[in-house]
């Protein structure tokens, strides 16, 4: 039997971004900019996100000792339970700050970024399970933001 209806897309878009509250003026501006560029609002958002640069300050001030903190990249380990078994995934290139004062040596990360990274890992695990793909053991944050 032949299936009728819409053909399967090569790049299906099955995810939605949560609603964003905007002012009346912002809504008009977004719709006008999309229309002037012959795009939908969704296409405008996609293009804007792809063109946006990630701007992380290279240094900060340590809240504990007041000395300079420098930006470093390290790995973040995340454990997911799959079929009642633990599965470890290493998220590479996660930025955080490290104090340059040897007496202090504190490291500060971004809790919100860590939570978003863990959610991305879980989404990727579910995607792999649903599509019968091998589960990842390493994921590079830099590759995700350049997708």
């Amino acid at each position: 039997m032949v299936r009728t209806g819409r053909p399967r897309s090569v790049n299906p878009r099955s995810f939605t971004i949560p609603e964003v509250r905007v002012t009346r003026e912002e809504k008009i501006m977004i719709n006008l900019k999309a229309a002037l560029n012959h795009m939908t609002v969704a296409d405008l958002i996609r293009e804007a996100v792809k063109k946006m640069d990630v701007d992380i300050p290279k240094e900060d001030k340590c809240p504990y000792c007041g000395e300079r903190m420098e930006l470093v990249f390290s790995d973040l380990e995340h454990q997911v339970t799959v079929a009642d078994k633990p599965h470890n995934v290493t998220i590479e290139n996660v930025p955080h700050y490290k104090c340059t004062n040897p007496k202090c040596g504190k490291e500060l990360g971004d809790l919100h970024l860590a939570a978003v990274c863990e959610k991305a890992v879980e989404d990727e695990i579910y995607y792999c399970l649903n599509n019968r793909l091998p589960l990842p053991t390493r994921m590079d944050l830099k590759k995700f933001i350049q997708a």
Side-chain angles (χ1 to χ4, degrees):
M1 177 155 64
V2 178
R3 291 185 71 174
T4 59
R6 185 170 172 234
R8 289 189 73 136
S9 174
V10 176
N11 186 11
R13 294 187 170 105
S14 56
F15 297 96
T16 57
I17 296 175
E19 289 186 29
V20 177
R21 293 176 54 115
V22 294
T23 64
R24 183 180 60 80
E25 293 83 6
E26 289 170 332
K27 179 181 180 236
I28 293 169
M29 176 188 63
I30 291 167
N31 286 324
L32 284 174
K33 284 188 176 188
L36 286 169
N37 287 295
H38 306 288
M39 307 170 117
T40 64
V41 171
D43 289 337
L44 178 73
I45 292 170
R46 284 187 197 101
E47 287 298 315
V49 169
K50 285 179 185 175
K51 290 179 183 177
M52 183 180 160
D53 290 329
V54 177
D55 185 27
I56 305 171
K58 300 289 183 211
E59 55 185 56
D60 202 355
K61 185 177 177 183
C62 180
Y64 297 100
C65 69
E67 294 290 323
R68 186 176 68 86
M69 297 186 88
E70 62 183 15
L71 181 67
V72 293
F73 295 88
S74 64
D75 296 346
L76 177 69
E77 297 291 329
H78 182 58
Q79 188 177 72
V80 181
T81 303
V82 179
D84 294 329
K85 294 179 185 171
H87 179 75
N88 293 319
V89 178
T90 303
I91 306 168
E92 301 171 336
N93 294 312
V94 178
H96 66 278
Y97 291 98
K98 183 173 184 174
C99 184
T100 56
N101 182 355
K103 293 180 181 176
C104 178
K106 297 280 187 185
E107 293 188 20
L108 296 176
D110 186 336
L111 187 59
H112 179 68
L113 176 62
V116 172
C117 286
E118 290 174 1
K119 176 76 170 104
V121 167
E122 291 172 6
D123 289 346
E124 190 68 16
I125 294 286
Y126 292 139
Y127 177 82
C128 290
L129 288 172
N130 287 333
N131 292 287
R132 299 175 191 251
L133 299 171
L135 298 180
T137 56
R138 302 186 77 73
M139 295 171 68
D140 191 346
L141 182 65
K142 288 183 179 178
K143 288 181 183 174
F144 265 105
I145 62 173
Q146 294 174 354

